[in-house]
Amino acid sequence: MKSIFEKIRGRRKSSALSSINHEPLTETLIRRALSKIIDPDFRQDIVSLGFVRNIKISESVAKGSPSAFDGEAEKSFHVSFDINLTTPACPVKETFRREAGELVSALPGVKTVDVNMTAYQPEPKKTTASGQGSTQGTALSRVRNIVAVASGKGGVGKSTTAVNLAYALKQSGAKVGLLDADITGPSVPTMTGVLNPESMDGNFVVPPQKDGIPMISCSMFKGADTANILRGPMASSMITQFLTQIKWGELDYLIIDYPPGTSDIQLTLSQACAITGAVLVTTPQKVATNDCDKAAQMFHTLNVPVVGVIETMSYFEPKKGERYHIFGKGGAESVSKKFGFPVFSQIPIEEDVSTLSDDGKPVVIHRKESEAAKAYASAAEKLVRSLAVLNSHNSQALERFSLKWR
Amino acid sequence: MNTENTSSQSFENSFEAPIGTPTPGVKEIYQIDEKTLGITWTDNISASYDVLDLRRLCPCAHCVDEHTGVRTLKAEDIKEDVRPIKIDSVGRYALKISFNDGHDTGLYTFQKLRSFASNQKLH
């Protein structure tokens, strides 16, 4: 006890001196400087959060430095370290990089700084039950976050939202997959223009990729032009196959475009895998928000946290400042107030959103400057942040397990 | 304003816990002895369950009338030596127990499991 106390006191003393005498550049000094950076979501400094890793200090003798006249060259240092974030899509990534660079450069003797932004340690996801069980659903074992994009009512822009969220996440540097689970009305292939057929690897289906995003839609298995008429059990077994027999590989986010409503397929989807969080989509209309409430209640029953709600078709703005609320106002806000989850974004009505969707060009990358694209990008950013916070709370829970009785 | 009041009431009636407070998840699941299942929840509460009780409390539509909620399964219909074969996770909210009498349709939600544990203690 005593010796620890003394150590702390000793350290205090030396830090008090450091402002006068140049304290030698150490890892501790660098950590102390970096601990001024606070993660806005976890509300802790990045050093306490364990984000700072791999600090390396290399010494070089500076030529022509003023003190070289004194006969001894002043030491200068090159410092490099990693900032390991919880997701490659972290929206504050660039701020962290800049602040870290500035703080460390300001330390005495530091000449150059290399800040490496990384994400995750290769930590296997907890899927077994205390060594007794076996892993289940290996198709999803390397998927870190499974996001349900759902609505109570159809036609609210759920697929458009799912596609644009996927593209926005991809753009922020994450590995993203997209699963179109709308069995009777698949729209992802039209909206992304994915053409390549899937291929097989043993019992697994390898999803085709478009713009670096692996995508699966049931329309790939039956012609997109023929209607899928399926009874509950068949639809459910198709969905289960989607989740267990598709080789998604390593993904940061798997976006699932849910079919509208709260019945068989939605239930099966939430049973067959551990959904990390759900995003609800609604228009401002009461007929849509009423159904959105039902979706919220369904997810509550299934213990899937709803992370936020996105309002589509919020307003039409033909001229700057001239807004028409064609479908009414405050729909998402009312859902948000009732259940306590945030409104991620309000997406305006823009011609490009629908026409580009029909051409397979998501607005979030093909009309980046549009208000709709910005609103989608901002929703994706909020999604990333809420999932990171959620995961830090859930870190102890087993996700998929199977216990064999002996 | 009025509508807001009524809606928050109906939501309170329909749920045991408010939305936004998820039920704790399973931290560890293990077999204690030949007829006892143990679960440690993420809030560090440990609970044990008699597997015969679990079978007799099966919540599925074959054992409970879906419309009236009345249990149709009689306790004496279940043999004393019934045991699970395996226990699987279902999504984020339930366990599916496959019993050796061929019954595997019951989904035991975490919420229910937490309420009918035979023995619970906080670590």
Side-chain angles (χ1 to χ4, degrees):
Chain A
M1 262 301 237
K2 208 179 170 190
S3 66
I4 294 170
F5 226 68
E6 278 166 3
K7 257 187 204 163
I8 294 169
R9 219 186 273 156
R11 207 196 294 164
R12 286 247 171 88
K13 219 184 259 171
S14 73
S15 82
L17 283 173
S18 73
S19 51
I20 312 159
N21 299 343
H22 286 322
E23 186 177 351
L25 190 67
T26 57
E27 271 196 45
T28 320
L29 196 67
I30 291 167
R31 281 179 200 280
R32 206 182 298 151
L34 290 173
S35 68
K36 287 182 187 133
I37 304 175
I38 309 291
D39 186 297
D41 296 323
F42 297 108
R43 288 172 200 164
Q44 261 191 60
D45 70 86
I46 61 166
V47 177
S48 311
L49 285 165
F51 289 178
V52 177
R53 288 162 190 215
N54 230 346
I55 301 179
K56 282 182 190 134
I57 306 168
S58 50
E59 204 177 292
S60 57
V61 177
K63 279 178 194 165
S65 80
S67 54
F69 291 114
D70 304 336
E72 60 171 71
E74 188 171 306
K75 282 172 183 169
S76 71
F77 299 93
H78 172 74
V79 177
S80 73
F81 53 88
D82 299 344
I83 298 181
N84 189 62
L85 301 167
T86 52
T87 164
C90 179
V92 283
K93 187 161 70 179
E94 287 314 310
T95 319
F96 280 177
R97 187 205 296 275
R98 185 174 41 78
E99 288 179 354
E102 285 168 8
L103 285 165
V104 175
S105 305
L107 294 172
V110 175
K111 203 170 184 202
T112 47
V113 183
D114 256 350
V115 188
N116 264 317
M117 304 307 284
T118 59
Y120 314 111
Q121 63 273 55
E123 202 176 74
K125 213 174 183 181
K126 283 199 279 183
T127 48
T128 52
S130 50
Q132 290 184 13
S134 62
T135 52
Q136 206 190 74
T138 44
L140 291 168
S141 57
R142 290 195 296 148
V143 177
R144 293 191 179 92
N145 293 283
I146 304 175
V147 182
V149 177
S151 74
K153 189 182 168 297
V156 295
K158 188 173 12 62
S159 300
T160 313
T161 300
V163 166
N164 279 294
L165 282 179
Y167 274 79
L169 290 169
K170 172 77 193 168
Q171 255 196 326
S172 61
K175 293 194 189 83
V176 188
L178 184 57
L179 169 60
D180 180 5
D182 196 346
I183 286 194
T184 50
S187 13
V188 164
T190 310
M191 290 183 179
T192 58
V194 64
L195 287 172
N196 358 12
E198 76 290 347
S199 55
M200 294 295 289
D201 178 5
N203 284 327
F204 286 89
V205 173
V206 182
Q209 297 215 359
K210 180 78 200 292
D211 303 316
I213 301 176
M215 302 179 186
I216 281 287
S217 167
C218 57
S219 68
M220 291 168 183
F221 300 95
K222 294 202 170 187
D225 45 349
T226 58
N228 280 348
I229 307 166
L230 298 167
R231 279 191 187 275
M234 260 183 82
S236 291
S237 80
M238 190 163 178
I239 284 297
T240 311
Q241 263 188 13
F242 269 10
L243 290 169
T244 53
Q245 284 175 26
I246 288 168
K247 203 172 179 179
W248 289 107
E250 199 184 333
L251 292 181
D252 296 308
Y253 303 95
L254 174 63
I255 306 289
I256 304 183
D257 181 11
Y258 266 46
T262 52
S263 58
D264 235 22
I265 300 167
Q266 293 80 355
L267 204 61
T268 306
L269 275 167
S270 316
Q271 290 179 334
C273 63
I275 308 276
T276 316
V279 176
L280 299 180
V281 183
T282 185
T283 65
Q285 275 180 292
K286 204 161 184 186
V287 282
T289 56
N290 282 348
D291 293 354
C292 191
D293 286 3
K294 294 201 179 93
Q297 291 172 1
M298 173 187 73
F299 283 119
H300 178 72
T301 309
L302 298 169
N303 214 21
V304 172
V306 174
V307 288
V309 53
I310 295 176
E311 187 182 88
T312 53
M313 309 179 204
S314 290
Y315 56 87
F316 176 58
E317 196 171 4
K319 261 190 262 164
K320 190 87 188 150
E322 195 180 297
R323 283 191 183 182
Y324 297 92
H325 295 271
I326 294 170
F327 294 107
K329 233 176 171 176
E333 208 188 326
S334 76
V335 182
S336 152
K337 266 196 187 148
K338 195 159 168 186
F339 298 108
F341 39 73
V343 179
F344 277 168
S345 266
Q346 292 181 303
I347 318 292
I349 300 171
E350 282 173 14
E351 211 179 320
D352 282 348
V353 175
S354 51
T355 51
L356 286 174
S357 274
D358 283 349
D359 289 344
K361 293 173 178 164
V363 68
V364 82
I365 54 165
H366 289 276
R367 281 289 181 282
K368 271 187 193 171
E369 69 294 344
S370 69
E371 288 305 313
K374 285 181 202 157
Y376 274 125
S378 142
E381 191 182 309
K382 287 172 188 150
L383 173 64
V384 164
R385 298 171 86 143
S386 354
L387 290 174
V389 174
L390 203 61
N391 286 332
S392 74
H393 295 317
N394 281 345
S395 61
Q396 288 200 304
L398 293 174
E399 293 221 326
R400 289 182 284 271
F401 53 83
S402 178
L403 174 68
K404 289 220 161 54
W405 204 260
R406 286 167 296 152
Chain B
M1 311 116 265
N2 240 341
T3 47
E4 238 177 61
N5 265 338
T6 46
S7 58
S8 75
Q9 257 173 13
S10 70
F11 130 66
E12 265 175 34
N13 291 340
S14 46
F15 297 114
E16 287 159 52
I19 282 193
T21 6
T23 312
V26 173
K27 188 176 171 185
E28 271 183 83
I29 180 163
Y30 39 90
Q31 187 179 340
I32 295 174
D33 58 40
E34 55 147 352
K35 60 186 298 254
T36 315
L37 169 71
I39 295 177
T40 302
W41 301 96
T42 46
D43 58 357
N44 286 327
I45 286 177
S46 289
S48 60
Y49 302 88
D50 184 296
V51 295
L52 182 63
D53 286 349
L54 288 176
R55 175 65 187 90
R56 286 177 171 159
L57 286 166
C58 177
C60 84
H62 297 291
C63 301
V64 177
D65 187 293
E66 266 191 291
H67 301 288
T68 61
V70 175
R71 179 163 297 280
T72 49
L73 176 78
K74 294 190 188 79
E76 61 268 26
D77 293 343
I78 303 299
K79 286 187 191 155
E80 294 280 332
D81 62 351
V82 73
R83 296 286 179 268
I85 298 167
K86 64 176 182 139
I87 299 168
D88 294 308
S89 57
V90 177
R92 259 184 197 286
Y93 77 110
L95 299 179
K96 176 182 160 176
I97 310 181
S98 311
F99 286 98
N100 61 2
D101 60 356
H103 198 74
D104 66 356
T105 42
L107 296 185
Y108 296 77
T109 63
F110 294 170
Q111 211 171 43
K112 280 218 180 90
L113 284 167
R114 284 176 64 89
S115 67
F116 63 54
S118 44
N119 173 24
Q120 294 204 64
K121 63 169 196 281
L122 184 68
H123 272 310

